[in-house]
Amino acid sequence: MDDTSSPRLVITTARRPTDEMLARADRWANWLQAPIIDRRGRSVAALCRDEKVEGALVLQADRTIYFQPTEGIEYFFHPNLASVRIHNLLRGAGDHMINAMRLQPGDEVLDCTLGRASDALICAHVVFGQTPEEADEADDSNTQQGRVVGIEKVPLLAYLTIDGLQNTSFVSKRFTALMRRIEAYCAGYEEFLAQCSKDSFDVVYFDPIFHAPVEESQSMEDLRVLAHKHPLSTEAVENALRVARRCVVIKQRRQTPLWDQLGVTETHGGKQSRVEYGVLPAR
């Protein structure tokens, strides 16, 4: 496969499928244009070998997981460290991404590289201001302002996140409510930005795959294998600057040559951090 499409895959269920799993399978088959295959007691590795595909999307009772046996991949929706970062913000600690964006309640953010929606959730925590439950109960209509839109190009990743945001629940009702308010779409940022009118969002954000990883977790390595890997182009950034009212923010390795290529002079990041956020003011 190229890195703009999902891998060749089949859709199946746990070894003992329920009616609910079978209904979900139909939805996934429509999303990914992939066949539904009877598991017939086979392991995922045997299923992929028999069907001559790279991977299998397995619908289980409590989650949906993509397996790619030859690469050791088990990829599913989980917002990683978003809950920890939100907890830190609630207790008064800062966040370098939020500082770079100068994000405020009521702002509108476009996340062009949604992934598992971790960064989008941090943005949602800030732009919606109050807890979603408080905002829903308030009489002042202004409390409903704020918007977070996320787009992901690779269909497999996009729909795992779209499905996860809408259907996964966490112990924290606030965290779950934030997930439900993110608008997530399967789209490439080049095409999406081209269709946006000027000054559509306060902030446009990119977190493209780094050429060399800075995190060694298996979940991040799985995302690197599956994600869109084309480098961020000058044309895409120029279009983002047209769409942004305040700024474009890009996450990269510290002292990346991309800053010189794009003319980035403002960066945010911890002294010991291997990543930083570059800021390009809107024009």
Side-chain angles (χ1 to χ4, degrees):
M1 71 169 189
D2 63 33
D3 66 4
T4 63
S5 61
S6 294
R8 290 181 297 110
L9 59 84
V10 295
I11 297 166
T12 192
T13 64
R15 294 176 189 270
R16 296 182 178 179
T18 63
D19 290 343
E20 188 270 341
M21 290 179 198
L22 295 173
R24 285 162 54 203
D26 286 336
R27 184 168 71 246
W28 276 100
N30 181 61
W31 280 343
L32 299 181
Q33 296 299 293
I36 302 171
I37 302 298
D38 190 337
R39 184 79 173 266
R40 299 204 306 271
R42 290 174 288 181
S43 68
V44 173
L47 178 66
C48 292
R49 185 174 60 250
D50 293 346
E51 301 299 328
K52 297 180 173 57
V53 293
E54 295 172 87
L57 190 77
V58 181
L59 307 181
Q60 301 180 343
D62 58 344
R63 66 176 53 171
T64 301
I65 306 179
Y66 172 70
F67 293 91
Q68 195 164 308
T70 58
E71 300 287 343
I73 290 175
E74 296 184 13
Y75 184 92
F76 55 92
F77 171 79
H78 193 283
N80 290 332
L81 296 176
S83 61
V84 175
R85 290 170 65 189
I86 288 175
H87 175 73
N88 289 340
L89 285 168
L90 286 170
R91 65 182 181 84
D95 186 278
H96 295 303
M97 182 190 74
I98 297 302
N99 293 340
M101 294 178 175
R102 305 197 305 278
L103 212 58
Q104 299 293 327
D107 282 349
E108 297 182 328
V109 179
L110 172 62
D111 183 345
C112 289
T113 47
L114 184 62
R116 285 189 173 98
S118 296
D119 289 331
L121 278 161
I122 309 305
C123 293
H125 165 74
V126 175
V127 305
F128 295 134
Q130 299 169 302
T131 68
E133 296 94 332
E134 291 170 339
D136 288 341
E137 294 172 359
D139 293 330
D140 185 355
S141 61
N142 290 332
T143 61
Q144 292 299 310
Q145 292 178 351
R147 187 183 184 205
V148 178
V149 177
I151 53 176
E152 173 58 51
K153 187 164 191 172
V154 179
L156 173 63
L157 302 181
Y159 287 110
L160 279 167
T161 297
I162 290 168
D163 182 66
L165 288 171
Q166 290 302 313
N167 297 303
T168 303
S169 295
F170 288 88
V171 173
S172 167
K173 292 182 179 179
R174 169 177 167 71
F175 196 81
T176 299
L178 287 173
M179 290 198 304
R180 300 293 189 265
R181 295 187 69 179
I182 294 172
E183 303 170 41
Y185 304 99
C186 179
Y189 56 70
E190 297 93 343
E191 298 82 6
F192 192 93
L193 287 167
Q195 295 174 7
C196 289
S197 58
K198 181 177 171 57
D199 298 335
S200 297
F201 294 88
D202 293 288
V203 178
V204 178
Y205 176 67
F206 295 96
D207 178 12
I209 291 294
F210 299 168
H211 294 300
V214 296
E215 296 184 56
E216 297 179 354
S217 69
Q218 185 60 50
S219 64
M220 287 305 301
E221 181 57 32
D222 291 348
L223 179 59
R224 282 181 61 83
V225 172
L226 298 171
H228 173 57
K229 301 176 186 65
H230 286 183
L232 184 60
S233 68
T234 302
E235 181 182 1
V237 174
E238 288 294 328
N239 221 349
L241 287 167
R242 179 185 62 83
V243 171
R245 291 190 286 266
R246 179 182 306 138
C247 61
V248 172
V249 174
I250 306 167
K251 181 181 179 182
Q252 277 292 289
R253 289 181 66 94
R254 180 174 289 278
Q255 297 180 333
T256 173
L258 186 62
W259 297 160
D260 289 335
Q261 296 171 25
L262 297 176
V264 171
T265 58
E266 178 188 347
T267 60
H268 294 255
K271 292 181 179 179
Q272 304 303 318
S273 176
R274 290 181 290 175
V275 302
E276 59 187 2
Y277 299 88
V279 181
L280 286 166
R283 296 168 185 168

